[in-house]
Amino acid sequence: WHDAVAEEVKAVRQNAGIMDISAFAKIEVSGDDADSVIDRLIPNRMPGDRRIILTHFLADSGRIEAEVTIARLGPNWLYLTCAAFFEQRVIDYLTFNIASDETVQIDNVSSDYGALALNGPRTREILGAVTDQPLDNKNFPWLTVRDVAIDGNPVQAMRLSYAGELGFELHMPMAHLKPVYDALWAAGKPHGLVDYGSFAMNAMRMEKMFKGAGELTNEVTLPEADVMRFVKLDKADFVGKAATEAAAAAPLRWVCAYLEIDGDGEHDGHGGEAVLVNGEHVGLTSSVAYGMSVDKLLAFGYVQPAHAAPGTELEVMIMGTPRPARVLAEPVYDPANEKPRS
């Protein structure tokens, strides 16, 4: 699939691509106590009016239960999205953490709502052809949500991008999914719009150093996953705070490192490969994918802290052969993250 995926990635990076992401879990949390409940569960700050945040649910042990995106639709009205396999875990987590005297309603709308991801430098031209909503940075800033109409269909548009490009996630009742897709496809043809899939999405998120489900598991804490930039330790409290503080202060068991691996253009790996230093096992990969835009084999790996510093030389066992690898300090694609904010 290498060449097919490469064509999809190239099209998204140079023009635009669209992907059906309806499989994402989509959960609405509302009620008089919705804000206070979610606020005590997450280590990040709550989103402001029509804003979006990325955050995590934690166990008391500080280990990661799930990564979620939270969009504020109104006072005490929040819209949560996450990977499909986190759906039941997130619903259970919310349910078990609501006290009997708190008024919170949890609505799983995963099957009721469809969603599309539209990414690429030509995105504004395509979306602007089918909606009257202003799409410039002043009227529709990065990490905000707006209610728009696309060819007459009501859509909840979110300004964010897992591909690392100018992009939008478009959420809507499932009945509107096909007419919205058809309208975008017709508007996008002159701009080189393509369909892209999960292999391309995975390759692009690896180029952007975005961690995924392979990295964010209930085996690790936030400091070990190296996602403390999403944590506000000055919050009065949140579930797992004491454990997170203790983990950050103590020697870590392992750290999630971002790796470049020498590749042969034929075999990439799948995650779970041994990471070696001088033949000694010091960790293992959690995700591996070929970065089509930069022509590099990339990985995340959990390694002993002594071997996690940028520039450290390692080896990764790919198809039975140890290959030279090195720890990188920043994303190999758009390290300043200018494209999504453009």
Side-chain angles (χ1 to χ4, degrees):
W1 299 107
H2 180 97
D3 292 346
V5 174
E7 286 300 314
E8 292 178 10
V9 170
K10 180 180 178 181
V12 174
R13 296 290 191 222
Q14 294 184 356
N15 296 304
I18 190 168
M19 179 179 178
D20 185 349
I21 56 170
S22 299
F24 281 17
K26 300 171 285 289
I27 301 162
E28 288 195 11
V29 181
S30 59
D32 292 344
D33 299 308
D35 277 10
S36 59
V37 167
I38 297 299
D39 190 31
R40 76 162 183 263
L41 296 181
I42 64 171
N44 205 343
R45 304 228 188 278
M46 291 287 284
D49 183 38
R50 308 296 283 178
R51 300 291 301 182
I52 302 167
I53 63 164
L54 184 70
T55 191
H56 305 83
F57 290 138
L58 307 177
D60 289 333
S61 65
R63 296 189 181 188
I64 301 169
E65 292 288 354
E67 180 185 66
V68 295
T69 298
I70 301 179
R72 178 176 294 285
L73 304 184
N76 284 303
W77 184 18
L78 303 164
Y79 184 78
L80 281 59
T81 59
C82 61
F85 42 78
F86 285 142
E87 180 178 321
Q88 192 59 51
R89 184 186 297 184
V90 168
I91 291 171
D92 289 346
Y93 184 88
L94 293 171
T95 301
F96 297 151
N97 279 287
I98 297 172
S100 59
D101 61 346
E102 292 177 315
T103 302
V104 179
Q105 181 172 331
I106 302 169
D107 293 308
N108 183 0
V109 296
S110 299
S111 298
D112 302 320
Y113 275 67
L116 299 168
L118 182 66
N119 287 285
R122 310 297 293 275
T123 295
R124 275 201 188 93
E125 297 161 80
I126 296 168
L127 189 55
V130 294
T131 183
D132 293 330
Q133 165 69 40
L135 303 175
D136 58 281
N137 277 323
K138 179 180 178 180
N139 289 286
F140 200 158
W142 171 244
L143 294 180
T144 61
V145 57
R146 298 285 185 267
D147 293 322
V148 307
I150 296 180
D151 201 30
N153 297 279
V155 172
Q156 186 173 274
M158 300 182 187
R159 176 91 187 274
L160 71 166
S161 172
Y162 198 45
E165 296 288 343
L166 171 65
F168 300 84
E169 283 189 10
L170 308 170
H171 295 248
M172 69 213 79
M174 194 66 78
H176 299 299
L177 186 67
K178 187 177 186 302
V180 167
Y181 172 87
D182 289 344
L184 290 168
W185 187 255
K189 285 186 70 175
H191 300 291
L193 181 67
V194 302
D195 290 307
Y196 72 98
S198 57
F199 282 12
M201 178 179 68
N202 188 55
M204 289 187 285
R205 71 98 180 176
M206 291 292 291
E207 293 175 344
K208 283 293 295 175
M209 201 178 169
F210 290 161
K211 295 180 176 71
E215 292 70 54
L216 305 171
T217 78
N218 57 11
E219 297 178 298
V220 299
T221 63
L222 296 170
E224 291 169 334
D226 192 25
V227 290
M228 288 296 288
R229 65 187 180 279
F230 300 110
V231 180
K232 309 303 179 188
L233 288 175
D234 59 347
K235 286 185 66 171
D237 198 17
F238 56 83
V239 172
K241 181 180 180 182
T244 300
E245 290 176 324
L252 300 177
R253 299 173 297 169
W254 43 55
V255 179
C256 188
Y258 183 51
L259 310 175
E260 175 189 348
I261 306 169
D262 289 357
D264 60 7
E266 295 293 331
H267 306 103
D268 294 347
H270 302 282
E273 289 83 9
V275 180
L276 311 171
V277 172
N278 298 323
E280 179 185 353
H281 179 223
V282 298
L284 78 164
T285 65
S286 51
S287 298
V288 182
Y290 199 83
M292 311 293 184
S293 309
V294 294
D295 199 25
K296 295 179 183 292
L297 182 58
L298 304 168
F300 283 112
Y302 275 93
V303 301
Q304 296 170 2
H307 306 292
T312 301
E313 296 290 333
L314 307 161
E315 289 183 318
V316 177
M317 188 70 73
I318 302 289
M319 300 292 289
T321 301
R323 291 199 198 159
R326 60 214 54 87
V327 180
L328 303 178
E330 61 184 13
V332 294
Y333 182 83
D334 187 26
N337 204 35
E338 295 174 344
K339 293 180 181 294
R341 294 178 169 87
S342 62

